[in-house]
Amino acid sequence: MKIVPISLPTPFYIGPVNVYLIPEEPVTLIDTGPKTKEAVDTLRAALRNEGLSVADIRRIVLTHAHEDHCGLARALRDEAKDAEVLVHGWETGHRAGRLEYDETRQLLVRAGVPPDEVEVMRKMYEGVRQYADSLDDGQCGELTDEAELEFGSGALQVVHTPGHTPGSCSFIRHADRTLIAGDCVLKRITPNPILSPDPIDRSRRFRSLEEYLVSLARVRALAPTLVLGGHDRQSQIIRLVPTNGASAWEVSRAMFPGTDDVHRFLGVSEAVAHLDYAHSEGKLSLEINDGRDVYRKIS
Ligand SMILES: [Zn+2]
Ligand SMILES: [Zn+2]
């Protein structure tokens, strides 16, 4: 059973998103990318590489309902005619951390965010909504923990891994312990345990970090040999280094253009750490120029 990673562009801070295609019957796409022309064009090209088109997709499985992962789900389902969309019940309604919902705004108020800040956040969030169709139409199938997604030559088992969002799911192929982890386990980034209402009692906060730590312990016990994540900051950072070289500061400003005060320090810290790592892995060169460390792509 082949798993084909496809990197799709996103308009978000996080950079590209990885979705995964299983190009055998029933042809399955795990995550879809955001609803942008760039993402859908890249996806179509990747399907063509496998001799497939959107019409061949039978199953769209979502790790969670964030725009970069689920944005195209409804459009692809409609185009593929009889494809089904599967998502965990705690994600349906597309409600995890959604600021258009009063219950999420209440959590911000309780966290002490001043009301005008809440309003600014809600407005910013409206801009994000355009990158995903809502999945509120009651036409999604439900992913349940330990369910098997069968294929002709193998299977993936659903592992409910709440934390980043309440309904986040990962998928393990037991044959070689390959784990498709969405945003649950990210290579060299820690996922944000997003502020969300508890799916059982929506007036309460979801204990996202506690849940996340339990999920990580569970994932560790599965002893995956390969983890396929939703994002990879390492390759994003290498792409941001121009051919004529850049300092960590320049890379951090390209990576986090809108940040202010303390986040600028955090941004440059993250850039230095990743650039040094890429350098020691032989992916970037490093020289000191006028007392500044300059990283260059090795061509
Ligand atoms: Zn996410
Ligand atoms: Zn993501």
Side-chain angles (χ1 to χ4, degrees):
M1 186 182 118
K2 190 158 109 176
I3 300 174
V4 182
I6 303 170
S7 174
L8 299 177
T10 81
F12 305 118
Y13 253 22
I14 186 91
V17 64
N18 295 320
V19 306
Y20 296 93
L21 171 71
I22 291 103
E24 66 173 71
E25 284 305 317
V27 174
T28 297
L29 191 62
I30 299 183
D31 287 342
T32 68
K35 198 178 78 172
T36 64
K37 187 175 181 312
E38 292 76 17
V40 80
D41 287 349
T42 311
L43 180 65
R44 283 186 205 282
L47 286 164
R48 255 197 315 278
N49 269 342
E50 296 297 320
L52 297 168
S53 72
V54 170
D56 296 306
I57 298 173
R58 292 284 160 273
R59 206 157 47 182
I60 297 163
V61 178
L62 301 175
T63 59
H64 63 299
H66 279 160
E67 286 75 10
D68 49 338
H69 297 260
C70 76
L72 287 166
R74 204 170 78 187
L76 294 175
R77 180 191 67 196
D78 292 350
E79 186 177 336
K81 304 280 191 311
D82 51 356
E84 59 172 347
V85 177
L86 295 168
V87 62
H88 192 275
W90 286 2
E91 294 294 283
T92 35
H94 204 167
R95 291 169 87 94
R98 311 284 95 172
L99 291 181
E100 74 267 40
Y101 295 109
D102 195 45
E103 57 218 359
T104 307
R105 291 199 298 272
Q106 284 310 316
L107 296 181
L108 290 172
V109 171
R110 278 189 54 191
V113 181
D116 48 332
E117 284 286 339
V118 174
E119 196 46 35
V120 169
M121 288 181 193
R122 191 184 64 75
K123 288 228 174 70
M124 257 165 45
Y125 187 71
E126 268 163 17
V128 175
R129 289 289 292 162
Q130 64 182 292
Y131 299 112
D133 285 320
S134 149
L135 294 165
D136 267 335
D137 57 6
Q139 289 181 42
C140 289
E142 204 168 308
L143 286 175
T144 52
D145 191 41
E146 298 194 333
E148 299 269 344
L149 302 172
E150 309 271 359
F151 296 89
S153 68
L156 288 170
Q157 188 177 40
V158 179
V159 189
H160 180 209
T161 44
H164 174 60
T165 64
S168 282
C169 284
S170 304
F171 304 92
I172 189 153
R173 175 168 63 184
H174 284 292
D176 63 354
R177 302 204 305 277
T178 294
L179 185 81
I180 298 174
D183 285 353
C184 171
V185 183
L186 295 172
K187 215 163 153 186
R188 309 177 192 105
I189 326 176
T190 48
N192 190 332
I194 304 275
L195 181 65
S196 309
D198 186 297
I200 309 288
D201 173 357
R202 306 199 69 86
S203 67
R204 295 178 48 225
R205 281 196 283 270
F206 183 65
R207 311 295 289 180
S208 52
L209 188 53
E210 283 158 61
E211 294 274 354
Y212 179 60
L213 295 173
V214 172
S215 293
L216 276 190
R218 188 163 172 217
V219 164
R220 191 182 300 127
L222 291 168
T225 52
L226 176 65
V227 178
L228 302 172
H231 306 275
D232 179 356
R233 181 142 289 160
Q234 188 73 25
S235 42
Q236 181 200 3
I237 281 214
I238 292 170
R239 268 192 297 271
L240 287 174
V241 176
T243 26
N244 59 352
S247 67
W249 168 249
E250 287 157 347
V251 170
S252 78
R253 298 315 296 151
M255 189 164 55
F256 305 112
T259 49
D260 48 24
D261 49 69
V262 70
H263 294 106
R264 290 171 178 251
F265 172 70
L266 297 176
V268 79
S269 298
E270 181 146 350
V272 168
H274 281 276
L275 291 164
D276 280 346
Y277 187 77
H279 171 239
S280 56
E281 295 260 288
K283 292 171 182 159
L284 294 174
S285 71
L286 170 58
E287 63 188 62
I288 301 177
N289 202 331
D290 254 347
R292 293 183 330 144
D293 290 339
V294 176
Y295 300 85
R296 274 194 186 80
K297 267 196 194 108
I298 297 172
S299 44

